[in-house]
Structure formats: structure tokens, C-alpha cells
């Protein structure tokens, strides 16, 4: 009997992040009930405690080291798990970051595709064919404005947004994963093509996504779902994982 293929998932995460190392494994463990691949999870950390533009920029400079560390483990795909850090570095920066970090893995003779959560959210929205979105973030309003400007630069109109204005990254992680169910009721969803239940890799939302989607009858996604989707695409694997919204229905 042939053993199931083991795929190593690498993540570059802020030092205070606890959510992406929880939600991405949860999604991919659910996938193991449908497909033969099995996954292991490996992380390297960049120092960050307060979600401010200055601290995010300092943190990003540490990502090269993290990519090298993860390529030492010969990961099969590498995810940069901080959406707003990438977006705060300038419009379209996810392309620069993904290429630079991929080059670090090449230099280490351990080539691995790189996914950023920022790029994954853009690509996930586009995969759905969505042109207009409404979104929820935990950020201070100036950082949410960065997210809106970044998406709109990619041709995605942000119709409405809610900023919870939480600067402490651990406080963000401690929120209930079901909180977005109620909060998103305040978003404008008329003539919107998709809802982003968490435009942040640290704010838990995984248990909310399918509930919101069933209520609103339009696609709902999150940073962790989009990142998982893009990782599977880079790995050339089917993207069906039941219960996590339209993007992971297997149709895209």
C-alpha cells in the first residue's frame, strides 16, 4: 500500500500571531478527509506586537531570514502570513515580496513557491469574479484605508468597511471566531459580489464564513481561506474543502 504524500506547509508569521497557525491547519486537516495528501506545518517568526505602520515595516525586513529558515526544512510552499504588513509597504508590493522570498529559497537550493496573504486575498477575490466587496478588519482606520487603497489599486472596489480599531495584536487573536457573524450584519452588502469576513490574518473568523455566506447568499472569504486556496493552487492540488465558503468549493 502506497503511503500518502506528506506536504510541508511553511509560514512566516508575526511573533504575536496565533491564528494562521490555527486556521490553516484546521482547513487542511478537513481536506484530508477528501484527498490522500497529508500536511505538516512549520513556522518562522518576525517580531511584532502592535499593529502600527512603523512596526509592520520593521517586521517585514525580517522576512528574508524567515524564508531561509523555512527553506532549510525544505517546505513545499511558503506563506507570508501578514496581510497588512505587505499592504503597508506600497501598492502591489505582494509581487515584490513573493519574488524576493522565492529568490531566497532558490539561493538556499530549496526552491519553494511563495504566497503572501495580501496577494492571496487579491487573487481569491479575482478567482470568484468579484468586482465589489465589503470587508471587516480589526485595524485602526488608517490601516484599513491602506487595505482599501491596495485592493482598489488591483481593480477591486470596496463598497463598505468596518474597522474595529484594535492595535494590540494579541487582543485581536482573542476575539471569538463567531464574532464576525453579527458584526458583518452592519456591512452594506447590496450589489456587493463578496464579503471579506476578516481582512486580517490574526482576527479569527473561520467558523463564521459559511454562516455568513448562507445568510447573505453571496461568497464570503477570509485571509486564511484565501491563503490556503492560493497555497493549494501553487501546489497543483484540488481546492475543494467543504464548509469554508465558495472559494474552497472546488469550483475555482
Amino acid at each position: 500500500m502506497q503511503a500518502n504524500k506528506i506536504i510541508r506547509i511553511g509560514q512566516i508569521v508575526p511573533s504575536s500571531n496565533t491564528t494562521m497557525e490555527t486556521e490553516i491547519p484546521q482547513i487542511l486537516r478537513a481536506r484530508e478527509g477528501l484527498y490522500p495528501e497529508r500536511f505538516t506545518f512549520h513556522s518562522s517568526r518576525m517580531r511584532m506586537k502592535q499593529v502600527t505602520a512603523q512596526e509592520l515595516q520593521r517586521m517585514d525586513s525580517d522576512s528574508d531570514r524567515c524564508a531561509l529558515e523555512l527553506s532549510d526544512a525544505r517546505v513545499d510552499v511558503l506563506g507570508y502570513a501578514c496581510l497588512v504588513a505587505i499592504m503597508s509597504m506600497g501598492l502591489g508590493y505582494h509581487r515584490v515580496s513573493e519574488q524576493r522570498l522565492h529568490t531566497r529559497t532558490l539561493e538556499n537550493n530549496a526552491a519553494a513557491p511563495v504566497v503572501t496573504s495580501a496577494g492571496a486575498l487579491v487573487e481569491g477575490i479575482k478567482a470568484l469574479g468579484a468586482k465589489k466587496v465589503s470587508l471587516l478588519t480589526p485595524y485602526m482606520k488608517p490601516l484599513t484605508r491602506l487595505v482599501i487603497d491596495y485592493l482598489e489599486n488591483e481593480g477591486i472596489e470596496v463598497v463598505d468597511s468596518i474597522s474595529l480599531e484594535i492595535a494590540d495584536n494579541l487582543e485581536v487573536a482573542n476575539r471569538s471566531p463567531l464574532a464576525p457573524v453579527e458584526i458583518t450584519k452592519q456591512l452594506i452588502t447590496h450589489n456587493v459580489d463578496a464579503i471579506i469576513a476578516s481582512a486580517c490574518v490574526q482576527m479569527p473568523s473561520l467558523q463564521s464564513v459559511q454562516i455568513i455566506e448562507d445568510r447573505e447568499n453571496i461568497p464570503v472569504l477570509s485571509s486564511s481561506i484565501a491563503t490556503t486556496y492560493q497555497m493549494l493552487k501553487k501546489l497543483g492540488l484540488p481546492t475543494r474543502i467543504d464548509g469554508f465558503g465558495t472559494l474552497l468549493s472546488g469550483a475555482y
Side-chain angles (χ1 to χ4, degrees):
M1 182 176 179
Q2 185 178 6
N4 292 335
K5 182 179 180 181
I6 303 297
I7 295 172
R8 295 173 181 167
I9 303 293
Q11 291 198 75
I12 297 174
V13 295
S15 56
S16 53
N17 187 284
T18 57
T19 302
M20 288 295 267
E21 293 158 304
T22 303
E23 291 194 345
I24 287 183
Q26 184 177 343
I27 298 168
L28 290 175
R29 290 288 180 239
R31 186 186 183 278
E32 291 177 349
L34 298 171
Y35 298 101
E37 294 84 15
R38 297 295 178 262
F39 301 91
T40 62
F41 302 94
H42 315 275
S43 300
S44 182
R45 313 187 89 74
M46 311 170 286
R47 288 298 305 282
M48 190 271 280
K49 295 167 70 177
Q50 298 292 316
V51 189
T52 64
Q54 295 80 6
E55 195 158 345
L56 290 168
Q57 289 173 9
R58 285 195 300 269
M59 180 191 76
D60 181 68
S61 65
D62 222 12
S63 60
D64 290 72
R65 171 189 58 79
C66 294
L68 280 171
E69 290 178 359
L70 289 167
S71 64
D72 284 344
R74 299 301 190 264
V75 296
D76 295 292
V77 66
L78 197 158
Y80 186 121
C82 190
L83 179 139
V84 76
I86 293 292
M87 292 186 174
S88 70
M89 295 295 287
L91 299 176
Y93 182 72
H94 68 275
R95 297 177 182 88
V96 176
S97 176
E98 289 169 6
Q99 182 57 52
R100 190 186 75 246
L101 297 178
H102 176 62
T103 299
R104 298 291 87 79
T105 70
L106 284 171
E107 293 168 349
N108 200 26
N109 297 314
V114 176
V115 171
T116 62
S117 293
L121 186 61
V122 169
E123 294 305 317
I125 293 168
K126 290 183 176 181
L128 291 169
K131 303 293 185 183
K132 298 181 179 182
V133 302
S134 289
L135 58 84
L136 169 64
T137 87
Y139 307 134
M140 308 303 287
K141 288 182 180 178
L143 286 181
T144 299
R145 185 71 247 175
L146 281 178
V147 175
I148 293 169
D149 291 346
Y150 200 97
L151 293 177
E152 293 195 333
N153 184 66
E154 298 289 336
I156 300 160
E157 180 183 346
V158 178
V159 173
D160 194 20
S161 67
I162 295 172
S163 303
L164 299 181
E165 298 199 274
I166 306 169
D168 186 284
N169 210 34
L170 281 178
E171 185 181 345
V172 173
N174 288 335
R175 294 184 58 81
S176 167
L178 288 171
V181 172
E182 292 302 315
I183 298 171
T184 54
K185 289 179 179 178
Q186 303 170 42
L187 283 171
I188 295 170
T189 57
H190 179 65
N191 287 332
V192 165
D193 303 314
I195 297 169
I196 304 168
S198 177
C200 171
V201 298
Q202 177 76 325
M203 187 169 73
S205 66
L206 201 56
Q207 288 92 322
S208 296
V209 167
Q210 193 66 56
I211 297 172
I212 300 168
E213 184 164 303
D214 292 343
R215 182 187 75 212
E216 300 291 340
N217 201 31
I218 56 175
V220 178
L221 68 162
S222 69
S223 295
S224 63
I225 285 171
T227 302
T228 305
Y229 168 81
Q230 194 66 5
M231 284 179 167
L232 291 170
K233 295 290 284 186
K234 292 286 187 181
L235 292 165
L237 296 175
T239 58
R240 178 191 164 197
I241 312 174
D242 297 338
F244 299 106
T246 296
L247 186 61
L248 292 178
S249 66
Y252 300 94

